Amino acid sequence: MSILTPDTKIYLAGHRGLVGSAIHRRLENDGFANVVTRTHTELDLKDQVAVRDFFEAERPEVVILAAAKVGGILANSEAPVDFLYDNLMIASNVTHASYQHDVKKLLNLGSSCIYPKFAPQPIPEDSLLTGALEPTNRAYAVAKIAAIELCDAYRQQHGADFISAMPTNLYGPGDNFDLRTSHVLPALLRKMHEAKVERRDAVEVWGSGTPRREFLFVDDLADAALFLLDNVSEPGPINVGTGEDITIRDLALLIADVVGFEGDLAFDASKPDGTPRKLLDVSRLRDLGWTASTGLREGIEATYAWYLNARGAQGARG
Ligand code: GDP
Protein backbone atom coordinates (compact mmCIF):
# COMPACT_ATOMS: atom_id res chain seq x y z
CA MET A 1 0.00 0.00 0.00
CA SER A 2 1.22 3.48 -0.82
CA ILE A 3 2.62 5.42 2.12
CA LEU A 4 1.44 8.65 0.51
CA THR A 5 -2.32 9.21 0.40
CA PRO A 6 -3.97 12.64 0.11
CA ASP A 7 -4.47 12.66 3.91
CA THR A 8 -1.00 11.49 4.97
CA LYS A 9 0.43 13.93 7.47
CA ILE A 10 3.75 15.00 5.98
CA TYR A 11 6.30 17.21 7.71
CA LEU A 12 8.38 18.94 5.08
CA ALA A 13 11.46 20.35 6.80
CA GLY A 14 13.08 23.17 4.84
CA HIS A 15 10.09 24.08 2.68
CA ARG A 16 11.53 27.46 1.72
CA GLY A 17 14.80 26.22 0.27
CA LEU A 18 15.43 25.27 -3.33
CA VAL A 19 14.64 21.59 -2.76
CA GLY A 20 11.93 22.08 -0.15
CA SER A 21 10.01 24.66 -2.16
CA ALA A 22 10.01 22.38 -5.21
CA ILE A 23 8.69 19.48 -3.11
CA HIS A 24 6.14 21.82 -1.52
CA ARG A 25 4.85 22.96 -4.93
CA ARG A 26 4.62 19.37 -6.02
CA LEU A 27 2.74 18.22 -2.89
CA GLU A 28 0.29 21.11 -3.29
CA ASN A 29 -0.24 20.38 -6.98
CA ASP A 30 -0.84 16.70 -6.21
CA GLY A 31 -3.51 17.59 -3.64
CA PHE A 32 -1.76 16.57 -0.41
CA ALA A 33 -3.89 18.35 2.15
CA ASN A 34 -1.99 17.59 5.32
CA VAL A 35 1.47 19.05 4.85
CA VAL A 36 3.07 20.62 7.91
CA THR A 37 5.78 23.24 7.54
CA ARG A 38 7.64 25.63 9.84
CA THR A 39 9.85 28.55 8.95
CA HIS A 40 13.29 28.81 10.46
CA THR A 41 12.05 31.46 12.90
CA GLU A 42 9.13 29.31 13.98
CA LEU A 43 11.24 26.21 14.57
CA ASP A 44 15.01 26.11 14.90
CA LEU A 45 15.93 22.56 13.86
CA LYS A 46 19.23 22.90 15.72
CA ASP A 47 17.25 23.09 18.97
CA GLN A 48 16.66 19.55 20.21
CA VAL A 49 13.92 20.42 22.70
CA ALA A 50 12.02 22.57 20.21
CA VAL A 51 12.17 19.78 17.63
CA ARG A 52 10.94 17.19 20.12
CA ASP A 53 8.05 19.42 21.20
CA PHE A 54 7.12 20.06 17.60
CA PHE A 55 6.99 16.31 16.80
CA GLU A 56 5.05 15.67 19.99
CA ALA A 57 2.43 18.25 18.98
CA GLU A 58 2.20 17.49 15.25
CA ARG A 59 2.87 13.72 15.06
CA PRO A 60 3.74 13.56 11.35
CA GLU A 61 3.52 10.16 9.61
CA VAL A 62 6.05 11.00 6.93
CA VAL A 63 9.06 13.32 7.19
CA ILE A 64 10.94 14.84 4.29
CA LEU A 65 14.23 16.29 5.49
CA ALA A 66 15.12 19.02 3.02
CA ALA A 67 16.38 21.50 5.60
CA ALA A 68 20.10 22.15 5.50
CA LYS A 69 22.73 24.81 5.53
CA VAL A 70 23.83 24.81 1.90
CA GLY A 71 26.11 26.88 -0.30
CA GLY A 72 28.56 26.91 -3.18
CA ILE A 73 32.27 26.29 -3.22
CA LEU A 74 33.30 29.62 -1.65
CA ALA A 75 30.72 29.65 1.14
CA ASN A 76 31.71 26.11 2.07
CA SER A 77 35.37 26.94 2.45
CA GLU A 78 34.73 30.17 4.33
CA ALA A 79 32.21 28.91 6.91
CA PRO A 80 32.93 25.22 7.61
CA VAL A 81 31.53 25.40 11.15
CA ASP A 82 28.11 26.44 9.87
CA PHE A 83 28.08 23.64 7.33
CA LEU A 84 29.22 20.99 9.80
CA TYR A 85 27.54 21.98 13.06
CA ASP A 86 24.21 23.15 11.66
CA ASN A 87 23.78 20.12 9.43
CA LEU A 88 24.80 17.63 12.11
CA MET A 89 22.35 19.15 14.56
CA ILE A 90 19.49 19.29 12.06
CA ALA A 91 20.00 15.66 11.01
CA SER A 92 20.40 14.36 14.57
CA ASN A 93 17.38 16.19 15.92
CA VAL A 94 15.03 15.36 13.07
CA THR A 95 15.95 11.67 12.77
CA HIS A 96 15.84 11.11 16.51
CA ALA A 97 12.50 12.88 16.95
CA SER A 98 11.13 10.93 13.98
CA TYR A 99 12.17 7.66 15.60
CA GLN A 100 10.78 8.67 18.99
CA HIS A 101 7.44 9.69 17.49
CA ASP A 102 6.97 6.63 15.27
CA VAL A 103 7.32 8.33 11.93
CA LYS A 104 6.44 5.69 9.31
CA LYS A 105 8.84 6.91 6.68
CA LEU A 106 11.60 9.51 6.54
CA LEU A 107 13.36 10.73 3.43
CA ASN A 108 16.74 12.28 4.15
CA LEU A 109 18.04 14.46 1.33
CA GLY A 110 21.77 14.92 0.91
CA SER A 111 24.07 15.76 -1.93
CA SER A 112 26.51 14.12 -4.31
CA CYS A 113 29.46 15.79 -2.55
CA ILE A 114 29.35 13.01 0.05
CA TYR A 115 31.38 10.86 -2.34
CA PRO A 116 35.19 10.74 -2.42
CA LYS A 117 36.94 13.33 -4.57
CA PHE A 118 38.39 10.66 -6.82
CA ALA A 119 35.46 8.24 -6.82
CA PRO A 120 34.97 6.24 -10.03
CA GLN A 121 32.85 8.15 -12.55
CA PRO A 122 29.92 7.84 -12.84
CA ILE A 123 29.83 7.53 -9.06
CA PRO A 124 28.11 4.39 -7.72
CA GLU A 125 26.46 4.46 -4.29
CA ASP A 126 28.95 1.93 -2.91
CA SER A 127 31.87 4.32 -3.35
CA LEU A 128 30.71 6.07 -0.17
CA LEU A 129 33.54 6.20 2.39
CA THR A 130 36.11 4.63 0.09
CA GLY A 131 38.41 7.66 -0.18
CA ALA A 132 39.25 11.23 0.83
CA LEU A 133 36.64 13.93 0.30
CA GLU A 134 36.96 17.09 -1.78
CA PRO A 135 38.45 19.58 0.74
CA THR A 136 36.38 22.58 -0.39
CA ASN A 137 33.12 21.07 0.90
CA ARG A 138 34.34 18.46 3.35
CA ALA A 139 32.51 19.91 6.35
CA TYR A 140 29.15 19.76 4.60
CA ALA A 141 29.90 16.28 3.22
CA VAL A 142 30.84 14.85 6.63
CA ALA A 143 27.56 16.12 8.11
CA LYS A 144 25.60 14.63 5.23
CA ILE A 145 27.42 11.29 5.53
CA ALA A 146 26.55 11.28 9.22
CA ALA A 147 22.90 11.85 8.29
CA ILE A 148 22.89 8.76 6.04
CA GLU A 149 24.59 6.78 8.79
CA LEU A 150 21.93 7.96 11.26
CA CYS A 151 19.12 6.81 8.97
CA ASP A 152 20.78 3.42 8.49
CA ALA A 153 21.47 3.09 12.21
CA TYR A 154 17.81 3.74 13.13
CA ARG A 155 16.81 1.19 10.49
CA GLN A 156 19.29 -1.40 11.80
CA GLN A 157 18.75 -0.90 15.51
CA HIS A 158 15.07 0.07 15.61
CA GLY A 159 13.58 -1.05 12.30
CA ALA A 160 12.80 2.55 11.28
CA ASP A 161 12.00 3.07 7.60
CA PHE A 162 14.41 5.94 6.98
CA ILE A 163 15.87 6.33 3.49
CA SER A 164 18.45 8.67 1.98
CA ALA A 165 18.52 10.25 -1.46
CA MET A 166 21.62 11.95 -2.85
CA PRO A 167 20.80 14.38 -5.61
CA THR A 168 23.44 15.72 -7.94
CA ASN A 169 23.93 19.51 -8.35
CA LEU A 170 20.45 21.01 -8.36
CA TYR A 171 19.09 24.19 -9.91
CA GLY A 172 15.73 25.74 -10.65
CA PRO A 173 13.08 28.17 -9.45
CA GLY A 174 13.87 29.40 -5.95
CA ASP A 175 17.62 29.09 -6.46
CA ASN A 176 20.15 31.22 -4.61
CA PHE A 177 21.40 33.98 -6.90
CA ASP A 178 23.70 35.63 -4.36
CA LEU A 179 27.06 35.55 -6.13
CA ARG A 180 29.15 34.87 -3.03
CA THR A 181 27.19 31.87 -1.83
CA SER A 182 25.47 30.48 -4.90
CA HIS A 183 26.30 27.47 -7.02
CA VAL A 184 27.63 27.87 -10.51
CA LEU A 185 24.44 27.66 -12.57
CA PRO A 186 22.44 30.46 -10.91
CA ALA A 187 25.66 32.50 -10.54
CA LEU A 188 26.34 32.38 -14.27
CA LEU A 189 22.69 33.06 -15.12
CA ARG A 190 22.78 36.21 -13.05
CA LYS A 191 26.21 37.36 -14.23
CA MET A 192 25.31 36.86 -17.87
CA HIS A 193 21.97 38.59 -17.50
CA GLU A 194 23.56 41.60 -15.83
CA ALA A 195 26.38 41.69 -18.37
CA LYS A 196 23.83 41.66 -21.19
CA VAL A 197 21.78 44.46 -19.63
CA GLU A 198 24.89 46.54 -18.89
CA ARG A 199 26.34 45.77 -22.34
CA ARG A 200 29.59 44.42 -20.90
CA ASP A 201 32.10 42.56 -23.09
CA ALA A 202 32.94 39.68 -20.78
CA VAL A 203 31.68 37.59 -17.87
CA GLU A 204 33.95 36.17 -15.23
CA VAL A 205 33.80 32.39 -14.87
CA TRP A 206 35.61 30.93 -11.86
CA GLY A 207 38.33 28.35 -12.27
CA SER A 208 39.50 26.79 -15.53
CA GLY A 209 36.14 25.84 -17.04
CA THR A 210 37.28 22.22 -17.38
CA PRO A 211 35.54 20.66 -14.34
CA ARG A 212 32.54 18.57 -15.26
CA ARG A 213 29.25 18.71 -13.39
CA GLU A 214 25.83 17.09 -13.69
CA PHE A 215 22.76 19.31 -13.18
CA LEU A 216 19.31 18.16 -12.14
CA PHE A 217 16.24 20.38 -12.41
CA VAL A 218 14.77 20.65 -8.94
CA ASP A 219 11.23 19.74 -10.01
CA ASP A 220 12.64 16.44 -11.22
CA LEU A 221 14.09 15.90 -7.77
CA ALA A 222 10.65 16.57 -6.25
CA ASP A 223 9.25 13.90 -8.55
CA ALA A 224 12.00 11.48 -7.51
CA ALA A 225 11.36 12.22 -3.81
CA LEU A 226 7.72 11.11 -4.05
CA PHE A 227 8.75 8.09 -6.09
CA LEU A 228 11.33 7.08 -3.47
CA LEU A 229 8.92 7.50 -0.56
CA ASP A 230 6.50 5.12 -2.23
CA ASN A 231 8.89 2.62 -3.75
CA VAL A 232 12.09 2.32 -1.76
CA SER A 233 12.84 0.93 1.65
CA GLU A 234 16.52 0.16 2.00
CA PRO A 235 19.65 1.47 3.69
CA GLY A 236 22.39 3.50 2.05
CA PRO A 237 22.26 6.49 -0.26
CA ILE A 238 20.31 6.40 -3.51
CA ASN A 239 21.66 8.62 -6.27
CA VAL A 240 19.31 11.00 -8.07
CA GLY A 241 20.61 12.60 -11.25
CA THR A 242 20.29 12.77 -14.99
CA GLY A 243 23.21 10.48 -15.84
CA GLU A 244 24.81 13.20 -18.01
CA ASP A 245 27.45 15.84 -17.25
CA ILE A 246 28.85 18.94 -18.96
CA THR A 247 32.00 21.06 -18.57
CA ILE A 248 31.67 24.41 -16.81
CA ARG A 249 32.78 26.05 -20.07
CA ASP A 250 29.98 24.39 -22.06
CA LEU A 251 27.50 25.20 -19.32
CA ALA A 252 28.57 28.85 -19.51
CA LEU A 253 28.10 28.82 -23.29
CA LEU A 254 24.66 27.25 -22.96
CA ILE A 255 23.60 29.82 -20.35
CA ALA A 256 24.94 32.64 -22.54
CA ASP A 257 22.80 31.32 -25.36
CA VAL A 258 19.65 31.11 -23.24
CA VAL A 259 20.21 34.59 -21.78
CA GLY A 260 21.29 36.15 -25.08
CA PHE A 261 24.70 37.29 -23.81
CA GLU A 262 27.10 37.59 -26.73
CA GLY A 263 30.35 38.61 -24.99
CA ASP A 264 33.35 36.55 -23.92
CA LEU A 265 34.04 34.21 -21.03
CA ALA A 266 36.92 35.37 -18.78
CA PHE A 267 38.20 32.42 -16.74
CA ASP A 268 39.51 33.41 -13.31
CA ALA A 269 42.20 30.91 -12.31
CA SER A 270 42.48 32.40 -8.82
CA LYS A 271 39.14 30.78 -7.94
CA PRO A 272 39.01 27.06 -7.09
CA ASP A 273 37.93 24.41 -9.58
CA GLY A 274 36.77 22.00 -6.90
CA THR A 275 36.45 18.35 -7.75
CA PRO A 276 37.34 17.58 -11.42
CA ARG A 277 34.21 15.62 -12.20
CA LYS A 278 30.98 14.80 -10.44
CA LEU A 279 28.60 12.51 -12.30
CA LEU A 280 26.35 10.11 -10.45
CA ASP A 281 25.72 6.55 -11.46
CA VAL A 282 21.93 6.59 -11.53
CA SER A 283 21.41 2.99 -12.59
CA ARG A 284 20.00 1.96 -9.23
CA LEU A 285 17.16 4.48 -9.44
CA ARG A 286 16.68 3.80 -13.15
CA ASP A 287 16.33 0.09 -12.44
CA LEU A 288 13.71 0.93 -9.83
CA GLY A 289 11.79 2.75 -12.58
CA TRP A 290 12.62 6.47 -12.32
CA THR A 291 14.41 8.79 -14.76
CA ALA A 292 14.70 12.60 -14.97
CA SER A 293 12.50 14.24 -17.56
CA THR A 294 13.68 17.87 -17.93
CA GLY A 295 16.47 18.65 -20.42
CA LEU A 296 19.23 21.06 -19.35
CA ARG A 297 18.31 23.84 -21.78
CA GLU A 298 14.63 23.54 -20.88
CA GLY A 299 15.47 23.69 -17.17
CA ILE A 300 17.79 26.70 -17.60
CA GLU A 301 15.07 28.50 -19.57
CA ALA A 302 12.54 27.87 -16.79
CA THR A 303 15.03 29.03 -14.16
CA TYR A 304 15.87 32.18 -16.14
CA ALA A 305 12.15 32.98 -16.48
CA TRP A 306 11.74 32.56 -12.73
CA TYR A 307 14.78 34.77 -12.05
CA LEU A 308 13.52 37.57 -14.31
CA ASN A 309 10.16 37.43 -12.59
CA ALA A 310 11.72 37.51 -9.11
CA ARG A 311 13.96 40.45 -10.10
CA GLY A 312 10.95 42.25 -11.51
CA ALA A 313 8.98 41.71 -8.31
CA GLN A 314 11.94 42.94 -6.27
CA GLY A 315 12.26 46.02 -8.46
CA ALA A 316 8.53 46.71 -8.13
CA ARG A 317 8.77 46.56 -4.36
CA GLY A 318 11.55 49.13 -4.65
P1 GDP B 1 30.71 22.42 -6.52
O1 GDP B 1 29.94 21.62 -7.53
O2 GDP B 1 30.56 21.94 -5.14
O3 GDP B 1 32.17 22.56 -6.93
O4 GDP B 1 30.10 23.90 -6.44
P2 GDP B 1 29.84 25.13 -7.41
O5 GDP B 1 28.55 24.97 -8.14
O6 GDP B 1 29.96 26.35 -6.57
O7 GDP B 1 31.04 25.15 -8.47
C1 GDP B 1 31.11 24.28 -9.57
C2 GDP B 1 32.21 24.71 -10.53
O8 GDP B 1 31.82 25.90 -11.22
C3 GDP B 1 33.56 25.04 -9.86
O9 GDP B 1 34.60 24.58 -10.71
C4 GDP B 1 33.55 26.57 -9.84
O10 GDP B 1 34.85 27.13 -9.80
C5 GDP B 1 32.86 26.85 -11.18
N1 GDP B 1 32.31 28.20 -11.30
C6 GDP B 1 32.53 29.03 -12.38
N2 GDP B 1 31.96 30.22 -12.17
C7 GDP B 1 31.34 30.17 -10.98
C8 GDP B 1 30.58 31.11 -10.24
O11 GDP B 1 30.36 32.25 -10.63
N3 GDP B 1 30.08 30.68 -9.04
C9 GDP B 1 30.32 29.42 -8.57
N4 GDP B 1 29.79 29.06 -7.38
N5 GDP B 1 31.06 28.52 -9.24
C10 GDP B 1 31.57 28.88 -10.44
Side-chain angles (χ1 to χ4, degrees):
M1 209 184 76
S2 173
I3 185 96
L4 295 177
T5 69
D7 300 325
T8 305
K9 188 158 192 179
I10 303 170
Y11 169 45
L12 173 58
H15 71 291
R16 284 186 164 175
L18 172 64
V19 170
S21 61
I23 296 177
H24 202 209
R25 277 197 301 279
R26 174 60 187 267
L27 291 172
E28 280 189 339
N29 285 344
D30 284 8
F32 288 95
N34 215 352
V35 180
V36 183
T37 58
R38 289 289 184 277
T39 63
H40 197 147
T41 337
E42 288 165 345
L43 175 62
D44 179 2
L45 292 173
K46 301 193 296 302
D47 180 339
Q48 187 179 21
V49 173
V51 172
R52 192 195 55 204
D53 291 349
F54 165 75
F55 272 75
E56 187 69 42
E58 291 292 343
R59 300 249 162 209
E61 299 166 80
V62 168
V63 171
I64 303 174
L65 179 47
K69 168 83 182 163
V70 295
I73 196 163
L74 203 64
N76 266 272
S77 31
E78 284 177 350
V81 172
D82 300 1
F83 288 88
L84 184 55
Y85 176 81
D86 289 15
N87 289 320
L88 281 172
M89 293 301 282
I90 292 169
S92 303
N93 291 341
V94 173
T95 51
H96 194 62
S98 296
Y99 154 64
Q100 285 186 315
H101 295 90
D102 300 317
V103 164
K104 284 194 223 147
K105 188 130 196 167
L106 178 144
L107 172 63
N108 162 46
L109 288 152
S111 139
S112 57
C113 70
I114 58 161
Y115 293 113
K117 176 166 181 154
F118 296 109
Q121 303 283 335
I123 311 171
E125 285 89 352
D126 63 9
S127 66
L128 184 65
L129 293 173
T130 57
L133 297 164
E134 156 61 36
T136 50
N137 51 29
R138 192 174 59 215
Y140 176 82
V142 166
K144 285 293 168 182
I145 293 170
I148 299 171
E149 198 64 29
L150 275 167
C151 288
D152 292 355
Y154 283 103
R155 173 180 294 277
Q156 188 186 329
Q157 191 175 335
H158 299 299
D161 194 357
F162 295 175
I163 59 171
S164 295
M166 298 301 123
T168 193
N169 291 22
L170 296 164
Y171 70 97
D175 221 329
N176 170 15
F177 286 87
D178 174 336
L179 294 180
R180 280 195 69 73
T181 55
S182 63
H183 284 277
V184 58
L185 196 152
L188 291 182
L189 255 181
R190 176 176 178 167
K191 287 193 214 177
M192 299 225 181
H193 173 75
E194 290 177 350
K196 181 183 80 166
V197 171
E198 293 161 16
R199 298 176 189 279
R200 279 191 272 115
D201 297 335
V203 156
E204 187 189 279
V205 181
W206 295 356
S208 63
T210 58
R212 303 183 69 89
R213 294 288 184 276
E214 175 187 19
F215 296 95
L216 179 70
F217 190 54
V218 73
D219 289 14
D220 283 350
L221 174 66
D223 188 56
L226 299 200
F227 176 86
L228 287 164
L229 281 168
D230 261 341
N231 293 285
V232 175
S233 179
E234 38 189 272
I238 295 167
N239 292 341
V240 188
T242 62
E244 285 171 30
D245 63 358
I246 181 171
T247 63
I248 297 301
R249 173 191 289 276
D250 286 345
L251 175 75
L253 293 172
L254 178 57
I255 294 176
D257 199 44
V258 169
V259 170
F261 168 70
E262 290 173 349
D264 297 327
L265 307 179
F267 290 96
D268 177 0
S270 72
K271 294 287 196 308
D273 265 347
T275 196
R277 192 176 186 207
K278 205 159 51 172
L279 174 65
L280 291 179
D281 180 342
V282 291
S283 50
R284 191 169 171 198
L285 191 52
R286 203 177 41 224
D287 293 349
L288 288 163
W290 188 90
T291 47
S293 61
T294 312
L296 185 55
R297 171 178 276 276
E298 186 191 340
I300 292 173
E301 283 168 355
T303 309
Y304 186 42
W306 181 90
Y307 172 67
L308 290 178
N309 201 11
R311 266 183 92 102
Q314 216 172 39
R317 276 200 304 272

